[in-house]
């Protein structure tokens, strides 16, 4: 492994949410993965909604959904995940066999909280795609992720014929990181699945409530903003539904997760208080 032993102090963002100011100078888009307004919005407002149709071959990603195994902790969900870090050349390097972990402070679901969870890794053919590595690098660039910082990338989702909670009891929550993005990959025969961003865990200070289309992505400062998604059921009850997403996040505030990362990636650059 190419990591150097480095300590990374917490670099939290403490400003409250405020709508992006229209008179603020735009950040140039030239040479950047995202359009300029996205960098501006996450900087001034802590979140942004955009799409990646011009950056990834979304249709090329869909076949990998058919290979997803069931989540071993939540029977009604399908999931794969892998950890990455950027090497000194800025290229993503996969970390094999590293689990994820969320403390109960960040996950209200009994099936997942305070557990070290092992999942099947993202498929090698998927990881090797140039648009996948480009997406990881572009995402890391948005948040100024440094070499050696662990990045978690998941594909997960639900399918079926009856009302299903995609969050499996998590409700309105934070993931225990500083930076988080949710990309919808597909949404077939779906009623519901409405994404919510809120300033509070009760959802009373809602920022946005929207049904994201395939290819749309929400970027969130996870330590500042809560998120959730509503239940999913078939639009046409005679046919099954599917809704699958990519979740990618980094710089963890959850010290339970950081302890596991330190165990499995001794040289990782962690957000340790």
């Amino acid at each position: 492994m190419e990591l150097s032993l480095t300590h990374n102090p917490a670099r939290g963002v403490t400003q409250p949410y405020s709508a992006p100011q229209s008179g603020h100078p735009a950040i140039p888009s030239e040479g950047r993965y995202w359009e300029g307004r996205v960098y501006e919005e996450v900087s001034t407002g802590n979140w942004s909604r955009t799409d990646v149709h011009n950056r990834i071959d979304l249709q090329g990603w869909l076949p990998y959904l058919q290979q997803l195994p069931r989540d071993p902790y939540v029977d009604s969900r399908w999931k794969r995940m892998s950890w990455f870090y950027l090497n000194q050349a800025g290229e993503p390097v996969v970390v094999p066999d590293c689990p994820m972990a969320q403390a109960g402070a960040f996950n209200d679901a009994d099936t997942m909280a305070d557990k070290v969870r092992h999942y099947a890794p993202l498929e090698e053919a998927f990881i090797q795609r140039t648009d996948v590595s480009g997406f990881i690098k572009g995402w890391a660039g948005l948040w100024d992720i440094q070499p050696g910082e662990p990045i978690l990338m998941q594909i997960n989702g639900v399918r079926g014929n009856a009302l299903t909670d995609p969050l499996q009891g998590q409700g309105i929550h934070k993931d225990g990181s500083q930076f988080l993005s949710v990309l919808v990959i597909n949404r077939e025969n779906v009623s519901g699945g409405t994404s919510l961003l809120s300033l509070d865990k009760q959802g009373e200070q809602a920022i946005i409530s929207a049904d994201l289309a395939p290819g749309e992505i929400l970027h969130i400062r996870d330590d500042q903003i809560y998120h959730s998604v509503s239940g999913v059921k078939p639009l046409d009850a005679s046919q099954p539904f599917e809704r699958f997403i990519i979740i990618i996040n980094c710089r963890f505030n959850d010290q339970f997760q950081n302890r596991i990362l330190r165990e499995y990636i001794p040289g990782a650059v962690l957000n340790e208080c």
Side-chain angles (χ1 to χ4, degrees):
M1 191 170 291
E2 305 173 26
L3 298 182
S4 59
L5 291 170
T6 312
H7 176 72
N8 181 30
R11 288 178 281 183
V13 179
T14 57
Q15 74 268 23
Y17 169 76
S18 59
Q21 300 298 308
S22 58
H24 201 285
I27 298 176
S29 298
E30 294 81 1
R32 303 223 183 174
Y33 191 89
W34 311 97
E35 57 188 301
R37 70 165 178 85
V38 175
Y39 299 89
E40 179 69 17
E41 287 169 358
V42 298
S43 175
T44 62
N46 294 334
W47 70 280
S48 181
R49 176 185 180 180
T50 188
D51 69 73
V52 292
H53 284 102
N54 63 337
R55 294 294 191 179
I56 67 172
D57 175 11
L58 192 61
Q59 291 301 311
W61 290 23
L62 294 181
Y64 297 98
L65 302 182
Q66 305 309 313
Q67 315 295 332
L68 290 175
R70 282 187 181 270
D71 185 322
Y73 306 92
V74 182
D75 187 58
S76 59
R77 186 167 67 184
W78 283 256
K79 179 169 178 172
R80 287 183 184 271
M81 54 145 271
S82 289
W83 289 93
F84 298 85
Y85 64 89
L86 300 183
N87 62 19
Q88 292 299 321
E91 295 297 322
V93 178
V94 68
V95 180
D97 304 323
C98 182
M100 71 176 295
Q102 285 179 303
F106 297 100
N107 193 321
D108 294 335
D110 292 338
T111 55
M112 294 178 279
D114 299 313
K115 300 181 188 301
V116 177
R117 292 180 277 150
H118 295 262
Y119 295 97
L122 299 175
E123 293 181 79
E124 184 67 21
F126 179 75
I127 292 171
Q128 293 300 323
R129 290 180 60 96
T130 56
D131 58 351
V132 172
S133 62
F135 174 78
I136 295 170
K137 289 187 287 187
W139 185 85
L142 175 64
W143 301 113
D144 193 28
I145 303 305
Q146 299 301 302
E149 292 194 75
I151 299 170
L152 176 61
M153 185 173 180
Q154 311 171 51
I155 302 178
N156 74 49
V158 291
R159 53 168 65 106
N161 299 88
L163 180 65
T164 302
D165 173 13
L167 297 176
Q168 304 300 315
Q170 284 184 267
I172 300 173
H173 67 287
K174 296 179 180 178
D175 276 17
S177 62
Q178 287 191 13
F179 311 124
L180 166 74
S181 296
V182 179
L183 166 64
V184 175
I185 307 176
N186 79 331
R187 181 185 169 94
E188 298 179 12
N189 191 35
V190 165
S191 174
T194 301
S195 297
L196 171 73
L197 300 185
S198 174
L199 292 176
D200 65 317
K201 189 172 174 58
Q202 294 70 41
E204 296 174 354
Q205 301 178 61
I207 299 169
I208 182 176
S209 178
D211 295 342
L212 300 185
E216 283 195 290
I217 186 168
L218 280 176
H219 299 302
I220 310 162
R221 289 190 184 270
D222 183 52
D223 58 346
Q224 300 296 310
I225 292 175
Y226 291 88
H227 65 279
S228 70
V229 64
S230 66
V232 176
K233 63 181 181 180
L235 191 63
D236 175 357
S238 68
Q239 302 292 326
F241 70 84
E242 279 196 5
R243 183 182 182 273
F244 283 88
I245 60 174
I246 293 274
I247 302 173
I248 183 168
N249 56 336
C250 186
R251 204 169 293 166
F252 292 84
N253 306 313
D254 186 340
Q255 296 309 309
F256 178 37
Q257 178 66 88
N258 280 337
R259 288 198 302 273
I260 299 304
L261 288 171
R262 179 63 71 209
E263 177 182 345
Y264 281 81
I265 318 173
V269 178
L270 299 180
N271 178 33
E272 295 175 310
C273 299

